Amino acid sequence: LIINKLYRGNMKKIISTILGMMIAFSLNASVANAAAKEVRIAFFLEWASPNQEDKVKGAFAKAFGVPVKWTNFATGGEMTEAMMSGDIDISYSQGLTPFVNAVNSKKPITLVDVSILYGMKGTTCVVANSAGITKANGSALEGKKVAVALGTMADYVFKETMRVVGANPSKMTVIDMVPEDAAVALANGDVSMACLFGKKSIATALKSGKLMLTVQEASDNGIAGIDITSVTNKFLKENPGMVKTFLEITHAANDRYKAGKSDFNTIAKDATMDVKSTKDQMASFGFPSTKQQKKEYFGNKGILMTYLNVMGKMFATAENPALKNYSKVVTTKYLP
């Protein structure tokens, strides 16, 4: 009887210990499974940024503790499609226009950072020399073929530029083309104007055309570019620490660039550009700090929120109306 009682008492302790171990193992497994085994990041070629140095030198992979897969895309819309198909977790320097189109159509992504600010030196409209069209007779584009990467910041620039020169986009034949193809189409005389982005693509277009608006003219008329960092809601929920780490490394790279300590050879090679073009392009970009973003861009009357509301209405459709409140798809929680 005594032995039996001792046996039962020990069994209770053993069972209790085993159950405790099982619960602890289950909790640890849940935490482990919540962290991604790989981080998939979208970016653009011909769009140089300081964090490409960290990309090449493996700083992101080292900080995450897991492999990082970087994939380049032709447009921000393609980035969104890849995010929705589960192939991309973070889109770096996605245009504000494709982001607006995504959230208007209820896509589960969130804006976590303003990555790059740029004028029309980075995204612009080039008119063919043979067309004989300038801003003075911009309405002559009506009835002509124009190439535009629809649903991108080039689309926004197209609409705004036409507003400035007094031309009606609905009276043109707008052909959806990625920048590289648009530049070739302009050179071949297939289109009268191309609205595009990317250092090489714009340079190619300018060999057979000229800017519809100069950088200063565009700026004077309130046309500017904002690129952002977006994250799928699923990845944001499951891996908040990784999102914060991504932004910490990116902002540290921005600070390094501002201090004149960036490795331009590495950045240029990764951006598929030469060093001179890379320096020139980056000099036209702005990489806003956390302090600047919170003070000037976020908040109800911030620059970013103003642009979101304007673009939201500009690209809204009956099927995908503008959101009543874009602050629901934006967060500053992960800014370093």
Side-chain angles (χ1 to χ4, degrees), residues 251-274:
H251 278 260
N254 292 345
D255 291 339
R256 185 172 63 240
Y257 166 71
K258 294 171 185 176
K261 298 180 180 179
S262 285
D263 180 352
F264 286 106
N265 288 314
T266 297
I267 296 172
K269 185 177 181 180
D270 194 60
T272 66
M273 301 193 300
D274 58 56

Side-chain angles (χ1 to χ4, degrees), residues 6 49 124 140 230 250 271 285 293 307:
L6 288 171
S49 59
T124 192
S230 65
T250 295
F285 287 167
Q293 288 190 41
Y307 266 83

Side-chain angles (χ1 to χ4, degrees), residues 91-108:
S91 284
Y92 176 73
S93 200
Q94 181 181 43
L96 199 58
T97 301
F99 174 77
V100 164
N101 286 331
V103 295
N104 277 0
S105 59
K106 307 299 186 294
K107 297 292 192 299

Side-chain angles (χ1 to χ4, degrees), residues 76-119:
E78 291 181 4
M79 288 181 176
T80 300
E81 292 174 6
M83 294 172 87
M84 293 306 96
S85 66
D87 295 326
I88 291 295
D89 304 307
I90 301 171
S91 284
Y92 176 73
S93 200
Q94 181 181 43
L96 199 58
T97 301
F99 174 77
V100 164
N101 286 331
V103 295
N104 277 0
S105 59
K106 307 299 186 294
K107 297 292 192 299
I109 64 176
T110 297
L111 188 161
V112 297
D113 180 47
V114 175
S115 56
I116 297 176
L117 308 174
Y118 54 95

Side-chain angles (χ1 to χ4, degrees), residues 29 64 150 174 178 207-208 254 291 330:
F64 291 147
L150 297 178
V174 181
V178 297
K207 290 179 181 179
S208 56
N254 292 345
K291 183 178 180 181
V330 170

Side-chain angles (χ1 to χ4, degrees), residues 28-142:
N28 289 333
S30 297
V31 172
N33 290 333
K37 302 296 188 293
E38 179 184 55
V39 182
R40 289 93 38 101
I41 305 172
F43 75 110
F44 288 121
L45 295 177
E46 299 182 33
W47 204 247
S49 59
N51 65 1
Q52 285 181 267
E53 180 180 340
D54 300 270
K55 166 184 178 290
V56 174
K57 295 181 179 179
F60 287 99
K62 183 177 180 181
F64 291 147
V66 297
V68 181
K69 180 181 179 182
W70 294 78
T71 305
N72 69 79
F73 289 86
T75 69
E78 291 181 4
M79 288 181 176
T80 300
E81 292 174 6
M83 294 172 87
M84 293 306 96
S85 66
D87 295 326
I88 291 295
D89 304 307
I90 301 171
S91 284
Y92 176 73
S93 200
Q94 181 181 43
L96 199 58
T97 301
F99 174 77
V100 164
N101 286 331
V103 295
N104 277 0
S105 59
K106 307 299 186 294
K107 297 292 192 299
I109 64 176
T110 297
L111 188 161
V112 297
D113 180 47
V114 175
S115 56
I116 297 176
L117 308 174
Y118 54 95
M120 292 308 95
K121 195 170 184 177
T123 301
T124 192
C125 291
V126 180
V127 187
N129 291 326
S130 59
I133 300 172
T134 67
K135 65 176 182 178
N137 65 335
S139 60
L141 279 169
E142 295 173 6

